[in-house]
Amino acid sequence: MTPITVLAPTGTLGYGFGADALKRGMDFKPGVIAVDAGSTDPGPHYLGSGEVLVSRFSYKKELTELMAASRAAGIPLVVGSAGGSGSRPHVDFLVEIVREVARDLRLNRFKLAWIYADIEPARIKQAIANGEVKDFEAGFALTADLVDSSTHIVAQMGFEPIIKALQSGADVVIAGRACDDAAIAAYPIMQGGHKGLAMHMGKILECGAFSAVPFAMDVMMGFLKGDSFELEPGSVGRRASLTSVAAHTLYERENPFDQHGPGYRVDLHDCRFEQAGERRVRVSGAKFIPESECWIKLEGARQMGFRSICVAGIRCPTMIVRIDEILAAAKEEAVRYMKPHDVQVTFHVYGKDGVMRALEPQKKVASHELGLIIEVVASEMDLAHAACHHISGGLLHTHYKGQLNTSGNLAFPYSPSELDAGPAYAFSAYHLMKVRDPYETFPIHYEDV
Amino acid sequence: MAAARLADLAVIIRSKNAGPYRLTFDVLLPDAATFKRVKASGVLGRESVAKALSLKPVEVTSLFELKSAHAFKVTIRRQVGQSDIGESDVYGCQQHVPLMELLVA
């Protein structure tokens, strides 16, 4: 059969790709340009706050290039997990940019579709009441209170809603939160490609040229054939190798053999990789296994308070040698001082265990200086700021045994020494919810642009 | 054969989030012989990895071997949920170092 060709311009929309690589990729006459735009990986802030992951400048620049290329070739453009978290404000943000780019480029009439992935709180609470919500990996139960305290809860859609939008004639699809692989695999599956292979290909392409060597945020091509697919980077400066592709199949997931989605799993136990030319790798063996029930993965975020931080350096060996006891005392004193208000104080001590904390095997400080971040989260910005300043001021002038320098213990790089970081978010849901079918919670909207 | 650091045998040793509540480690060896040697040594087994990361063995949630890719994969429970209070590595990408120092017989 003629291969179904997919161009994945980059690993995350907004993180860039090479103009030459895009041009070269378009020479392969792909049937679709498909790109992933987000995940939970950057943390709960974007989902919680509604702020998009990358700058408006970068989104517009890249959507301009991709819309120009896809409209000139007459092929659809699919964006999954719009804006970083795929929540409603993120979808709306990209949809508005698409309209703007259409005007700027004076594009001929085309059909735009957008798909929301936000799940109504009432729908989730009903599912909780029916026993149709279960923990995925969060380690806590999803309660009605948690649902109510979440600013946004989205779920990962599968390929079905995206295919429905494409079959309705959409030329540009801006999808909310979607399984990374599904956004890329939707078009090849719609064209009759093997579902297991299409999903496996989608899983590798969703990171763009991260599966190539040297890796980068850049164009990666996928060619789906009857019983295998092939991968080749858009840039001639890169190649797909057995190691680079195999390494990527391990990336960012716990189980490299089973990939679950809403209503299916992809089985990769019998997957094979072969070098198919200097810059190309052939992959086969993935199986698509439908499941009888359809469960979607919920991702929610809630505001846990406001954060204030202070950055300081410590150079004096008399303090470094006693750092643990000095910080413990400062924290205890601040918690007492702030009563009746609760504050959560964290010290990040770089040069000691700032990166690995409890996992750090090297217990003895070997550094001649320490970098300290004092972090406070509290229910109000003023309280977080007050506690942070109280701690930094207290540490600056605290007296400890062995001290020779009585003029101050912390070297601040900034004045003011406290930086108010604003609202602090935490994940509030990472659970599975049973739905009627893969379309139920993902409404599609259309517009002629 | 003299014992070697895993860092001196592997082509990739890395850590990364696998969702907000898991941290996953990938170790890729250059060839089948090195894969076999590392496997035989047991350094990427549950007990050994838990010890290297100061964890209880039960906190290791899964171990996989991918013979065709000469690779091992070990996943642990994150000590702190991603971006919860006490977070120090949002992407979980700088937690791999203790595995570099494992000694392979």
Side-chain angles (χ1 to χ4, degrees), chain A residues 175-212:
Chain A
R177 186 67 173 122
C179 297
D180 304 344
D181 44 10
I184 314 260
Y187 176 87
I189 291 174
M190 180 180 83
Q191 293 298 321
H194 184 284
K195 285 181 185 163
L197 291 173
M199 293 299 280
H200 192 197
M201 184 168 95
K203 189 70 211 168
I204 300 175
L205 287 182
E206 65 101 350
C207 280
F210 249 69
S211 56

mmCIF file of all heavy atoms in Angstrom, chain A residues 175-212:
data_model
loop_
_atom_site.group_PDB
_atom_site.id
_atom_site.type_symbol
_atom_site.label_atom_id
_atom_site.label_comp_id
_atom_site.label_asym_id
_atom_site.label_seq_id
_atom_site.Cartn_x
_atom_site.Cartn_y
_atom_site.Cartn_z
ATOM 1 N N ALA A 175 -7.241 20.398 19.415
ATOM 2 C CA ALA A 175 -7.816 19.487 20.405
ATOM 3 C C ALA A 175 -7.334 19.870 21.793
ATOM 4 O O ALA A 175 -6.163 20.214 21.981
ATOM 5 C CB ALA A 175 -7.428 18.050 20.084
ATOM 6 N N GLY A 176 -8.222 19.800 22.762
ATOM 7 C CA GLY A 176 -7.834 19.940 24.157
ATOM 8 C C GLY A 176 -6.996 18.726 24.559
ATOM 9 O O GLY A 176 -6.440 18.030 23.703
ATOM 10 N N ARG A 177 -6.951 18.457 25.858
ATOM 11 C CA ARG A 177 -6.089 17.377 26.339
ATOM 12 C C ARG A 177 -6.366 16.081 25.583
ATOM 13 O O ARG A 177 -7.512 15.640 25.476
ATOM 14 C CB ARG A 177 -6.317 17.158 27.836
ATOM 15 C CG ARG A 177 -5.369 16.153 28.464
ATOM 16 C CD ARG A 177 -3.948 16.664 28.481
ATOM 17 N NE ARG A 177 -3.070 15.763 29.223
ATOM 18 C CZ ARG A 177 -1.990 15.177 28.703
ATOM 19 N NH1 ARG A 177 -1.633 15.397 27.440
ATOM 20 N NH2 ARG A 177 -1.233 14.390 29.445
ATOM 21 N N ALA A 178 -5.327 15.495 25.031
ATOM 22 C CA ALA A 178 -5.451 14.269 24.250
ATOM 23 C C ALA A 178 -4.293 13.355 24.596
ATOM 24 O O ALA A 178 -3.211 13.826 24.965
ATOM 25 C CB ALA A 178 -5.420 14.596 22.758
ATOM 26 N N CYS A 179 -4.500 12.062 24.501
ATOM 27 C CA CYS A 179 -3.376 11.127 24.608
ATOM 28 C C CYS A 179 -2.363 11.562 23.543
ATOM 29 O O CYS A 179 -2.744 11.793 22.388
ATOM 30 C CB CYS A 179 -3.822 9.705 24.313
ATOM 31 S SG CYS A 179 -5.038 9.058 25.458
ATOM 32 N N ASP A 180 -1.102 11.678 23.936
ATOM 33 C CA ASP A 180 -0.079 12.211 23.022
ATOM 34 C C ASP A 180 -0.089 11.465 21.693
ATOM 35 O O ASP A 180 0.019 12.060 20.625
ATOM 36 C CB ASP A 180 1.324 12.043 23.620
ATOM 37 C CG ASP A 180 1.444 12.682 24.982
ATOM 38 O OD1 ASP A 180 0.572 13.495 25.326
ATOM 39 O OD2 ASP A 180 2.411 12.357 25.692
ATOM 40 N N ASP A 181 -0.185 10.137 21.787
ATOM 41 C CA ASP A 181 -0.111 9.317 20.574
ATOM 42 C C ASP A 181 -1.374 9.453 19.727
ATOM 43 O O ASP A 181 -1.321 9.419 18.502
ATOM 44 C CB ASP A 181 0.152 7.849 20.926
ATOM 45 C CG ASP A 181 -0.687 7.336 22.086
ATOM 46 O OD1 ASP A 181 -1.617 8.044 22.517
ATOM 47 O OD2 ASP A 181 -0.403 6.219 22.565
ATOM 48 N N ALA A 182 -2.524 9.652 20.394
ATOM 49 C CA ALA A 182 -3.802 9.669 19.667
ATOM 50 C C ALA A 182 -3.910 10.857 18.722
ATOM 51 O O ALA A 182 -4.454 10.741 17.618
ATOM 52 C CB ALA A 182 -4.955 9.674 20.652
ATOM 53 N N ALA A 183 -3.383 12.017 19.154
ATOM 54 C CA ALA A 183 -3.483 13.209 18.305
ATOM 55 C C ALA A 183 -2.731 12.987 16.991
ATOM 56 O O ALA A 183 -3.126 13.462 15.936
ATOM 57 C CB ALA A 183 -2.927 14.428 19.047
ATOM 58 N N ILE A 184 -1.622 12.249 17.078
ATOM 59 C CA ILE A 184 -0.799 11.998 15.885
ATOM 60 C C ILE A 184 -1.381 10.838 15.080
ATOM 61 O O ILE A 184 -1.300 10.809 13.855
ATOM 62 C CB ILE A 184 0.656 11.655 16.301
ATOM 63 C CG1 ILE A 184 1.149 12.634 17.364
ATOM 64 C CG2 ILE A 184 1.568 11.553 15.089
ATOM 65 C CD1 ILE A 184 2.003 13.741 16.951
ATOM 66 N N ALA A 185 -1.970 9.850 15.794
ATOM 67 C CA ALA A 185 -2.435 8.626 15.132
ATOM 68 C C ALA A 185 -3.818 8.781 14.505
ATOM 69 O O ALA A 185 -4.227 7.946 13.695
ATOM 70 C CB ALA A 185 -2.460 7.472 16.145
ATOM 71 N N ALA A 186 -4.559 9.840 14.866
ATOM 72 C CA ALA A 186 -5.949 9.960 14.399
ATOM 73 C C ALA A 186 -6.044 9.899 12.873
ATOM 74 O O ALA A 186 -6.836 9.118 12.326
ATOM 75 C CB ALA A 186 -6.560 11.269 14.920
ATOM 76 N N TYR A 187 -5.258 10.695 12.196
ATOM 77 C CA TYR A 187 -5.357 10.731 10.732
ATOM 78 C C TYR A 187 -4.996 9.384 10.101
ATOM 79 O O TYR A 187 -5.774 8.856 9.291
ATOM 80 C CB TYR A 187 -4.482 11.869 10.173
ATOM 81 C CG TYR A 187 -4.474 11.906 8.670
ATOM 82 C CD1 TYR A 187 -5.459 12.608 7.968
ATOM 83 C CD2 TYR A 187 -3.492 11.233 7.935
ATOM 84 C CE1 TYR A 187 -5.468 12.628 6.575
ATOM 85 C CE2 TYR A 187 -3.499 11.247 6.550
ATOM 86 C CZ TYR A 187 -4.489 11.951 5.869
ATOM 87 O OH TYR A 187 -4.491 11.963 4.508
ATOM 88 N N PRO A 188 -3.849 8.785 10.448
ATOM 89 C CA PRO A 188 -3.546 7.469 9.850
ATOM 90 C C PRO A 188 -4.614 6.415 10.151
ATOM 91 O O PRO A 188 -4.904 5.586 9.288
ATOM 92 C CB PRO A 188 -2.208 7.070 10.479
ATOM 93 C CG PRO A 188 -1.651 8.275 11.102
ATOM 94 C CD PRO A 188 -2.722 9.298 11.256
ATOM 95 N N ILE A 189 -5.214 6.446 11.328
ATOM 96 C CA ILE A 189 -6.267 5.469 11.630
ATOM 97 C C ILE A 189 -7.494 5.757 10.761
ATOM 98 O O ILE A 189 -8.104 4.847 10.202
ATOM 99 C CB ILE A 189 -6.619 5.493 13.139
ATOM 100 C CG1 ILE A 189 -5.447 4.942 13.944
ATOM 101 C CG2 ILE A 189 -7.891 4.687 13.417
ATOM 102 C CD1 ILE A 189 -5.612 5.041 15.454
ATOM 103 N N MET A 190 -7.812 7.038 10.608
ATOM 104 C CA MET A 190 -8.953 7.401 9.756
ATOM 105 C C MET A 190 -8.733 6.903 8.322
ATOM 106 O O MET A 190 -9.676 6.487 7.647
ATOM 107 C CB MET A 190 -9.123 8.923 9.752
ATOM 108 C CG MET A 190 -10.281 9.404 8.897
ATOM 109 S SD MET A 190 -10.426 11.209 8.930
ATOM 110 C CE MET A 190 -9.223 11.663 7.694
ATOM 111 N N GLN A 191 -7.479 6.905 7.881
ATOM 112 C CA GLN A 191 -7.157 6.465 6.519
ATOM 113 C C GLN A 191 -7.105 4.944 6.396
ATOM 114 O O GLN A 191 -6.706 4.414 5.358
ATOM 115 C CB GLN A 191 -5.804 7.058 6.075
ATOM 116 C CG GLN A 191 -5.817 8.565 5.896
ATOM 117 C CD GLN A 191 -6.781 9.015 4.810
ATOM 118 O OE1 GLN A 191 -6.917 8.379 3.769
ATOM 119 N NE2 GLN A 191 -7.495 10.093 5.065
ATOM 120 N N GLY A 192 -7.420 4.241 7.473
ATOM 121 C CA GLY A 192 -7.466 2.789 7.414
ATOM 122 C C GLY A 192 -6.172 2.108 7.823
ATOM 123 O O GLY A 192 -6.009 0.899 7.631
ATOM 124 N N GLY A 193 -5.242 2.869 8.401
ATOM 125 C CA GLY A 193 -3.982 2.281 8.853
ATOM 126 C C GLY A 193 -4.191 1.368 10.058
ATOM 127 O O GLY A 193 -5.181 1.496 10.781
ATOM 128 N N HIS A 194 -3.263 0.452 10.270
ATOM 129 C CA HIS A 194 -3.288 -0.466 11.409
ATOM 130 C C HIS A 194 -3.270 0.356 12.703
ATOM 131 O O HIS A 194 -2.362 1.170 12.912
ATOM 132 C CB HIS A 194 -2.064 -1.378 11.319
ATOM 133 C CG HIS A 194 -2.007 -2.426 12.378
ATOM 134 N ND1 HIS A 194 -1.657 -2.147 13.678
ATOM 135 C CD2 HIS A 194 -2.239 -3.753 12.322
ATOM 136 C CE1 HIS A 194 -1.675 -3.265 14.373
ATOM 137 N NE2 HIS A 194 -2.029 -4.255 13.576
ATOM 138 N N LYS A 195 -4.267 0.116 13.554
ATOM 139 C CA LYS A 195 -4.395 0.973 14.742
ATOM 140 C C LYS A 195 -3.207 0.851 15.692
ATOM 141 O O LYS A 195 -2.728 1.839 16.237
ATOM 142 C CB LYS A 195 -5.682 0.636 15.493
ATOM 143 C CG LYS A 195 -6.928 1.164 14.827
ATOM 144 C CD LYS A 195 -8.146 0.796 15.664
ATOM 145 C CE LYS A 195 -9.423 1.218 14.960
ATOM 146 N NZ LYS A 195 -10.589 0.526 15.532
ATOM 147 N N GLY A 196 -2.754 -0.378 15.915
ATOM 148 C CA GLY A 196 -1.634 -0.577 16.835
ATOM 149 C C GLY A 196 -0.373 0.108 16.328
ATOM 150 O O GLY A 196 0.315 0.814 17.079
ATOM 151 N N LEU A 197 -0.095 -0.072 15.047
ATOM 152 C CA LEU A 197 1.101 0.559 14.465
ATOM 153 C C LEU A 197 0.954 2.079 14.459
ATOM 154 O O LEU A 197 1.910 2.806 14.754
ATOM 155 C CB LEU A 197 1.318 0.060 13.032
ATOM 156 C CG LEU A 197 1.726 -1.409 12.882
ATOM 157 C CD1 LEU A 197 1.723 -1.806 11.400
ATOM 158 C CD2 LEU A 197 3.117 -1.649 13.480
ATOM 159 N N ALA A 198 -0.247 2.557 14.121
ATOM 160 C CA ALA A 198 -0.466 4.009 14.082
ATOM 161 C C ALA A 198 -0.247 4.615 15.465
ATOM 162 O O ALA A 198 0.371 5.677 15.606
ATOM 163 C CB ALA A 198 -1.877 4.318 13.585
ATOM 164 N N MET A 199 -0.735 3.927 16.512
ATOM 165 C CA MET A 199 -0.567 4.453 17.871
ATOM 166 C C MET A 199 0.901 4.397 18.301
ATOM 167 O O MET A 199 1.395 5.315 18.955
ATOM 168 C CB MET A 199 -1.423 3.641 18.851
ATOM 169 C CG MET A 199 -2.917 3.806 18.641
ATOM 170 S SD MET A 199 -3.474 5.502 18.853
ATOM 171 C CE MET A 199 -3.567 5.590 20.620
ATOM 172 N N HIS A 200 1.584 3.328 17.934
ATOM 173 C CA HIS A 200 3.010 3.238 18.283
ATOM 174 C C HIS A 200 3.799 4.333 17.564
ATOM 175 O O HIS A 200 4.655 4.996 18.150
ATOM 176 C CB HIS A 200 3.549 1.846 17.939
ATOM 177 C CG HIS A 200 4.908 1.585 18.521
ATOM 178 N ND1 HIS A 200 5.718 0.577 18.087
ATOM 179 C CD2 HIS A 200 5.587 2.224 19.498
ATOM 180 C CE1 HIS A 200 6.853 0.610 18.777
ATOM 181 N NE2 HIS A 200 6.792 1.592 19.643
ATOM 182 N N MET A 201 3.451 4.531 16.296
ATOM 183 C CA MET A 201 4.108 5.589 15.520
ATOM 184 C C MET A 201 3.809 6.948 16.156
ATOM 185 O O MET A 201 4.694 7.798 16.301
ATOM 186 C CB MET A 201 3.610 5.547 14.072
ATOM 187 C CG MET A 201 4.295 6.535 13.165
ATOM 188 S SD MET A 201 3.925 6.214 11.414
ATOM 189 C CE MET A 201 2.550 7.326 11.156
ATOM 190 N N GLY A 202 2.562 7.131 16.582
ATOM 191 C CA GLY A 202 2.176 8.386 17.235
ATOM 192 C C GLY A 202 2.965 8.614 18.506
ATOM 193 O O GLY A 202 3.402 9.723 18.801
ATOM 194 N N LYS A 203 3.179 7.540 19.262
ATOM 195 C CA LYS A 203 3.902 7.643 20.535
ATOM 196 C C LYS A 203 5.343 8.102 20.303
ATOM 197 O O LYS A 203 5.900 8.848 21.095
ATOM 198 C CB LYS A 203 3.883 6.283 21.240
ATOM 199 C CG LYS A 203 4.403 6.307 22.651
ATOM 200 C CD LYS A 203 3.457 7.040 23.583
ATOM 201 C CE LYS A 203 4.195 7.719 24.710
ATOM 202 N NZ LYS A 203 3.346 8.658 25.457
ATOM 203 N N ILE A 204 5.930 7.656 19.211
ATOM 204 C CA ILE A 204 7.318 8.068 18.936
ATOM 205 C C ILE A 204 7.346 9.477 18.329
ATOM 206 O O ILE A 204 8.166 10.311 18.705
ATOM 207 C CB ILE A 204 8.014 7.045 18.020
ATOM 208 C CG1 ILE A 204 8.027 5.666 18.707
ATOM 209 C CG2 ILE A 204 9.439 7.492 17.709
ATOM 210 C CD1 ILE A 204 8.574 4.544 17.866
ATOM 211 N N LEU A 205 6.394 9.749 17.419
ATOM 212 C CA LEU A 205 6.388 11.058 16.746
ATOM 213 C C LEU A 205 5.975 12.202 17.659
ATOM 214 O O LEU A 205 6.284 13.362 17.373
ATOM 215 C CB LEU A 205 5.428 11.026 15.548
ATOM 216 C CG LEU A 205 5.866 10.251 14.309
ATOM 217 C CD1 LEU A 205 4.797 10.377 13.233
ATOM 218 C CD2 LEU A 205 7.206 10.747 13.783
ATOM 219 N N GLU A 206 5.264 11.901 18.753
ATOM 220 C CA GLU A 206 4.769 13.005 19.576
ATOM 221 C C GLU A 206 5.903 13.834 20.175
ATOM 222 O O GLU A 206 5.687 14.964 20.586
ATOM 223 C CB GLU A 206 3.799 12.514 20.661
ATOM 224 C CG GLU A 206 4.406 11.590 21.718
ATOM 225 C CD GLU A 206 4.722 12.307 23.013
ATOM 226 O OE1 GLU A 206 4.645 13.532 23.027
ATOM 227 O OE2 GLU A 206 5.073 11.634 23.991
ATOM 228 N N CYS A 207 7.095 13.287 20.218
ATOM 229 C CA CYS A 207 8.231 14.060 20.715
ATOM 230 C C CYS A 207 9.078 14.613 19.573
ATOM 231 O O CYS A 207 10.223 15.029 19.802
ATOM 232 C CB CYS A 207 9.077 13.230 21.659
ATOM 233 S SG CYS A 207 8.365 13.150 23.308
ATOM 234 N N GLY A 208 8.554 14.596 18.351
ATOM 235 C CA GLY A 208 9.302 15.134 17.215
ATOM 236 C C GLY A 208 10.615 14.385 17.049
ATOM 237 O O GLY A 208 10.662 13.163 17.164
ATOM 238 N N ALA A 209 11.677 15.119 16.807
ATOM 239 C CA ALA A 209 12.973 14.494 16.538
ATOM 240 C C ALA A 209 13.730 14.124 17.822
ATOM 241 O O ALA A 209 14.945 13.916 17.796
ATOM 242 C CB ALA A 209 13.820 15.400 15.652
ATOM 243 N N PHE A 210 13.015 13.999 18.939
ATOM 244 C CA PHE A 210 13.659 13.487 20.157
ATOM 245 C C PHE A 210 14.053 12.026 19.993
ATOM 246 O O PHE A 210 14.890 11.515 20.734
ATOM 247 C CB PHE A 210 12.748 13.670 21.369
ATOM 248 C CG PHE A 210 13.279 14.693 22.314
ATOM 249 C CD1 PHE A 210 13.302 16.017 21.949
ATOM 250 C CD2 PHE A 210 13.792 14.330 23.555
ATOM 251 C CE1 PHE A 210 13.827 16.976 22.796
ATOM 252 C CE2 PHE A 210 14.324 15.285 24.410
ATOM 253 C CZ PHE A 210 14.333 16.607 24.031
ATOM 254 N N SER A 211 13.448 11.345 19.010
ATOM 255 C CA SER A 211 13.802 9.943 18.778
ATOM 256 C C SER A 211 14.912 9.815 17.740
ATOM 257 O O SER A 211 15.238 8.719 17.310
ATOM 258 C CB SER A 211 12.567 9.171 18.308
ATOM 259 O OG SER A 211 12.019 9.793 17.166
ATOM 260 N N ALA A 212 15.491 10.947 17.330
ATOM 261 C CA ALA A 212 16.593 10.918 16.357
ATOM 262 C C ALA A 212 17.907 11.203 17.073
ATOM 263 O O ALA A 212 17.924 11.504 18.261
ATOM 264 C CB ALA A 212 16.349 11.964 15.268
#
